[in-house]
Amino acid sequence: MSFDLLVKNANLPDGRTQMDIACKGGRIEAVEAGITAEAGKVIDANGRLVSPPFVDSHFHMDATLSLGLPRMNRSGTLLEGIALWGELKDILTVDAVVERALKYCDLAVSQGLLAIRSHVDVCDDRLTGVEGLLEVRDRVKDYIDLQLVAFPQDGLYRSPNAEKNLLKALDMGVDIVGGIPHFERTMEDGARSVVRLCEIAAERSLRVDMHCDETDDPLSRHIETLAHETQRLGLHGRVAGSHLTSMHSMDNYYVSKLLPLIAEAGIHAIANPLINITLQGRHDSYPKRRGQTRVPELRAHGVNVAFGHDCVMDPWYSMGSGDMLEVASMGLHVAQMTSREAIRYCFDCVTGHPARAMGLEGYGLDKGCKADFVLLQARDTIEAVRLKATRLAVVRGGRVIATTAPREAELSLEGRPGRIDPSAFAPREG
Ligand code: FE2
């Protein structure tokens, strides 16, 4: 039998070593040691890590790469970011949205990031972002799985036409129902918005992904309503709570009641470490709260936790490079998840866990999965996170779609080696 692509001597995220991966017709045909069949292309991984692609389950592609337009965020707060985005929204064009989004998708491919869930603001009567990102979803479909969330940025009830626009965006083909209950005018309106949005999703058999409780207010408890509505409407496994930062500040007793409710409803929790470590705690003097949701506790209750990038060079965040390993690294630092197995878990938070939250079909490195994966300049997942490892090759449908030369430094030091490979400093730990 002849394969399209054969990867030799790969280490896998689950700890298997010296594995060969054979691909044909866009799918993985075999993952085992010592495959000898012919292949159109052979890559020797040489003991380096091959992972399924990185997945970002929380992003804003309508705003990405707009940094400085029309001005910079001076306070650095979430609220100034929203106000600034409001100024930019009025002057957006479809062409500009498409151009910036495609540019970001190019960057994503180079980083081995091949599935993205992007929120798209529907509080704009022209639906410029929706029109632009629907076009982008179509244009990138051969190399990126792009899911779109109808996101009422200015509030479902706080913004006059938000509900009408949200329904229109769904009619136009946006995939998922979004929300922002903590930004509504009152707690009651916030809870009411969660009920209405979940009902819309249930009526249309869609998934839900809400910005939920992205605040330091410990009394922001919309996640409780989201869990309840998920139960009531039978949406188990189809609902994600994004950010959930108020959980950081909540009373421990209340959280002990809340965590089982989230688990019972099968809600996916999506933390955004890079963004929330910079946005939260802005009203604190010292000590300043970290503001990230309770990742180890959610994990301990069996909740599927993913880490999202959220923003790259936009009104909320001026940094970022589409590197989900940077996201994983920040997540583990903020959550103090420093044990070996916790670091491996953080790698899963930017690969398998968000894939599950997005319901991606054929994701993984098993026979029958899509032949999508990344060869990294690292021997295992811990090293990959530590080094933010170079993506040596990115494969989609059994075809190499991006390569990067290995990182290597040349030294000119007497009596020392001439070259160093950053991934050659410690014994492999699996
Ligand atoms: Fe967000």
Side-chain angles (χ1 to χ4, degrees), residues 89 120-127 130 149-171 177-180 183-185 193 196-197 200 204:
K89 213 156 43 172
V120 51
D121 189 355
V122 296
C123 293
D124 156 23
D125 292 342
R126 299 175 302 148
L127 291 176
V130 171
V149 185
F151 175 45
Q153 170 77 74
D154 300 330
L156 185 73
Y157 295 127
R158 193 167 167 179
S159 173
N161 297 325
E163 184 171 343
K164 192 176 75 167
N165 292 344
L166 179 135
L167 293 171
K168 191 168 169 207
L170 296 175
D171 289 342
V177 179
I180 187 164
F183 194 69
E184 303 291 350
R185 287 194 176 90
S193 79
R196 176 68 186 127
L197 290 163
I200 291 170
R204 294 174 177 241

Side-chain angles (χ1 to χ4, degrees), residues 343-362:
I343 298 172
R344 286 186 204 105
Y345 177 87
C346 290
F347 184 89
D348 295 341
C349 287
V350 294
T351 50
H353 296 181
R356 199 184 318 157
M358 289 174 64
L360 295 181
E361 184 272 324

Side-chain angles (χ1 to χ4, degrees), residues 362-381:
Y363 181 88
L365 286 181
D366 296 313
K367 184 176 180 339
C369 288
K370 289 182 177 169
D372 301 349
F373 45 82
V374 187
L375 170 62
L376 293 150
Q377 191 185 356
R379 290 163 295 178
D380 55 54
T381 56

Side-chain angles (χ1 to χ4, degrees), residues 238-411:
R238 288 164 47 197
V239 176
S242 281
H243 295 286
L244 304 176
T245 55
S246 72
M247 286 179 69
H248 186 95
S249 301
M250 281 175 184
D251 171 72
N252 286 340
Y253 181 83
Y254 175 67
V255 171
S256 75
K257 177 197 170 196
L258 180 62
L259 285 167
L261 298 178
I262 297 173
E264 185 184 37
I267 288 182
H268 307 277
I270 303 174
N272 296 290
L274 291 168
I275 303 312
N276 289 126
I277 196 62
T278 53
L279 290 181
Q280 305 315 123
R282 289 276 178 164
H283 296 268
D284 295 349
S285 53
Y286 286 94
K288 287 183 189 289
R289 283 168 287 179
R290 296 172 185 220
Q292 179 162 281
T293 193
R294 302 191 189 201
V295 176
E297 292 77 9
L298 286 159
R299 178 191 182 193
H301 279 77
V303 176
N304 180 44
V305 180
F307 292 158
H309 206 314
D310 202 1
C311 304
V312 170
M313 298 180 76
D314 70 9
W316 295 274
Y317 188 62
S318 64
M319 308 296 284
S321 60
D323 182 355
M324 295 308 291
L325 288 170
E326 186 188 10
V327 174
S329 176
M330 182 58 77
L332 84 86
H333 282 82
V334 177
Q336 300 179 325
M337 295 177 75
T338 51
S339 74
R340 309 310 279 172
E341 64 83 29
I343 298 172
R344 286 186 204 105
Y345 177 87
C346 290
F347 184 89
D348 295 341
C349 287
V350 294
T351 50
H353 296 181
R356 199 184 318 157
M358 289 174 64
L360 295 181
E361 184 272 324
Y363 181 88
L365 286 181
D366 296 313
K367 184 176 180 339
C369 288
K370 289 182 177 169
D372 301 349
F373 45 82
V374 187
L375 170 62
L376 293 150
Q377 191 185 356
R379 290 163 295 178
D380 55 54
T381 56
I382 293 177
E383 200 168 69
V385 175
R386 182 173 67 83
L387 297 172
K388 276 69 112 194
T390 299
R391 284 67 165 167
L392 299 174
V394 179
V395 173
R396 172 84 168 186
R399 196 170 72 84
V400 176
I401 58 169
T403 58
T404 306
R407 203 173 120 206
E408 194 178 64
E410 291 205 28
L411 302 187

Side-chain angles (χ1 to χ4, degrees), residues 20-188:
D20 297 345
I21 304 168
C23 310
K24 193 175 175 67
R27 295 271 166 176
I28 294 174
E29 287 278 325
V31 182
E32 52 198 67
I35 298 175
T36 53
E38 295 284 303
K41 183 175 177 64
V42 177
I43 298 173
D44 188 356
N46 197 19
R48 287 182 163 144
L49 179 67
V50 170
S51 165
F54 295 106
V55 179
D56 184 1
S57 54
H58 190 108
F59 195 63
H60 293 263
M61 206 178 277
D62 50 356
T64 195
L65 306 184
S66 68
L67 182 68
L69 296 175
R71 61 180 177 80
M72 301 297 283
N73 183 335
R74 285 183 286 266
S75 68
T77 60
L78 172 67
L79 294 181
E80 186 175 344
I82 293 174
L84 181 49
W85 171 239
E87 293 171 33
L88 176 57
K89 213 156 43 172
D90 290 340
I91 54 171
L92 271 189
T93 65
V94 173
D95 286 350
V97 169
V98 170
E99 191 191 322
R100 286 196 286 263
L102 287 176
K103 209 183 263 187
Y104 184 76
C105 288
D106 293 341
L107 177 65
V109 168
S110 75
Q111 297 279 31
L113 170 53
L114 303 186
I116 301 173
R117 175 180 282 181
S118 174
H119 295 253
V120 51
D121 189 355
V122 296
C123 293
D124 156 23
D125 292 342
R126 299 175 302 148
L127 291 176
T128 310
V130 171
E131 196 183 328
L133 290 193
L134 283 169
E135 181 183 330
V136 170
R137 186 181 67 183
D138 190 51
R139 284 174 67 172
V140 303
K141 66 178 185 302
D142 289 341
Y143 53 93
I144 290 181
D145 297 305
L146 178 58
Q147 291 183 351
L148 299 177
V149 185
F151 175 45
Q153 170 77 74
D154 300 330
L156 185 73
Y157 295 127
R158 193 167 167 179
S159 173
N161 297 325
E163 184 171 343
K164 192 176 75 167
N165 292 344
L166 179 135
L167 293 171
K168 191 168 169 207
L170 296 175
D171 289 342
M172 287 166 73
V174 170
D175 309 280
I176 295 161
V177 179
I180 187 164
H182 57 276
F183 194 69
E184 303 291 350
R185 287 194 176 90
T186 64
M187 289 291 180
E188 290 73 18

